[in-house]
Amino acid sequence: MNARVNARRAFGKAKRAALRPRLVRWQVDYGYYARLGRHSERLPWPSTYPHELLGPLREEHVVTVDGSPYFDDQVVAAAQDLAAGLVDVNPTASTVEVTFEAQRLQPAVYRWGLEQAQLDLAEWYIGLPVQYLGVAIKLERADATVADTRQWHRDVEDRRMLKMITYLSDVDDTAGPFGYLPREVSDAAAEELDYWSGFITEDRLASVLPRGEWCSATGPKLTTTFVDTCRLLHRATPPTGTDRYSMTFSYCSKHPFQRYDEMLPCASQIGDLTAGMSPRQVRSAAFTV
């Protein structure tokens, strides 16, 4: 990680720390809620998705469903083909991810995240015009290693994010399911731990919440979890018996607290993938400061 990246992350951490005092937070919150109010009349309705999904997502910030109705065969086949190529990549790494260059060779997966149905859902949930952060296609190896995002945490990029985590393989309790704490439980645990950023070890979380109350999203291939990872404590549970393959589509607002630019594609790469798409789709993919 180079000096520029370290400096950017340090600035983001300092910015979050500066916002912790109640008076400062109130002033920033006022501007945020004003933006929500101004945009409320322009919010799209995500008609592709049923009320049975929208209700829990709005109220609890997480819902797990059968995702197969939302993906066509071309997208699934492309995603599985890209994921299969990870088998021999860096064999000692616990987690490996498809490169953006590889995604450009099979653009159907990336472009699915820019379809109007997905943008409508993300904007409806976040309440503001959205930034599409792309899709992460990953292999989580069953080595039981606990590190990085396999630890409990909240994402810090924004006030609200929407992630769509779709399994490309069957996932049971030994295959590293997405783990999370329900809304009220997340809030209570974070308050008791005085948590505001970083990772939480299993033992530290267990000191305030019994392991039996931790939730996991298991299911067959194409099971999809829609979740706000800024609102809920969550993790990629370390697989212990079977590797996990997944793809995750991510969205935040156009002006988040922090962005990890080193993990994002450059403008020319995005231009190739959004050629021929609508102005809204291009704006959602284009990164602004």
Side-chain angles (χ1 to χ4, degrees):
M1 192 179 298
N2 61 38
R4 180 178 296 179
V5 172
N6 282 330
R8 190 159 50 235
R9 293 196 173 190
F11 175 79
K13 186 173 183 178
K15 181 179 178 181
R16 294 193 302 276
L19 292 174
R20 294 195 77 194
R22 184 171 299 177
L23 179 59
V24 176
R25 189 75 181 188
W26 179 85
Q27 291 175 322
V28 175
D29 284 349
Y30 182 84
Y32 167 70
Y33 288 114
R35 291 194 301 275
L36 285 179
R38 289 194 297 269
H39 192 66
S40 61
E41 293 185 359
R42 297 191 292 274
L43 282 179
W45 177 254
S47 57
T48 299
Y49 292 94
H51 288 275
E52 292 79 9
L53 184 156
L54 300 177
L57 178 59
R58 173 71 82 188
E59 296 299 323
E60 301 299 329
H61 313 306
V62 61
V63 60
T64 299
V65 300
D66 172 13
S68 59
Y70 309 115
F71 295 98
D72 62 39
D73 292 342
Q74 180 187 8
V75 172
V76 175
Q80 290 186 302
D81 187 53
L82 289 167
L86 295 172
V87 173
D88 298 320
V89 174
N90 197 1
T92 61
S94 297
T95 304
V96 288
E97 184 174 342
V98 172
T99 66
F100 197 76
E101 286 302 316
Q103 289 187 34
R104 291 172 74 187
L105 300 177
Q106 300 203 58
V109 186
Y110 178 91
R111 288 170 67 93
W112 182 89
L114 281 172
E115 290 181 3
Q116 299 295 345
Q118 282 64 259
L119 293 181
D120 285 350
L121 178 65
E123 186 170 337
W124 170 83
Y125 176 77
I126 292 172
L128 294 166
V130 296
Q131 174 73 65
Y132 176 47
L133 299 173
V135 56
I137 303 171
K138 293 184 178 182
L139 161 60
E140 297 279 354
R141 291 195 171 102
D143 59 6
T145 297
V146 180
D148 299 323
T149 56
R150 292 183 175 192
Q151 301 174 90
W152 291 96
H153 64 286
R154 278 175 171 161
D155 291 343
V156 297
E157 286 91 327
D158 210 344
R159 294 171 180 273
R160 285 192 171 194
M161 290 185 74
L162 179 64
K163 292 192 176 183
M164 307 175 190
I165 304 167
T166 299
Y167 298 150
L168 297 173
S169 56
D170 296 344
V171 174
D172 60 15
D173 288 329
T174 71
F178 174 73
Y180 66 94
L181 302 184
R183 175 177 56 86
E184 292 184 358
V185 178
S186 281
D187 291 343
E191 183 175 358
E192 187 152 356
L193 293 170
D194 192 28
Y195 171 84
W196 59 284
S197 70
F199 293 118
I200 303 171
T201 66
E202 290 187 344
D203 289 343
R204 187 174 176 223
L205 182 59
S207 70
V208 299
L209 184 70
R211 295 172 189 264
E213 296 184 32
W214 303 356
C215 298
S216 295
T218 58
K221 183 179 73 173
L222 296 186
T223 294
T224 300
T225 297
F226 298 78
V227 58
D228 184 343
T229 52
C230 290
R231 302 295 296 272
L232 303 185
L233 286 167
H234 64 281
R235 66 170 178 170
T237 304
T240 57
T242 307
D243 294 344
R244 186 190 89 174
Y245 292 87
S246 65
M247 57 181 174
T248 300
F249 301 85
S250 300
Y251 306 83
C252 65
S253 73
K254 289 296 285 185
H255 298 283
F257 284 142
Q258 182 172 354
R259 232 179 39 212
Y260 296 103
D261 289 354
E262 69 277 8
M263 301 171 64
L264 300 173
C266 66
S268 63
Q269 292 172 322
I270 293 172
D272 291 345
L273 283 169
T274 58
M277 301 190 91
S278 72
R280 181 196 185 197
Q281 291 170 306
V282 173
R283 286 195 304 270
S284 297
F287 295 110
T288 58
V289 177

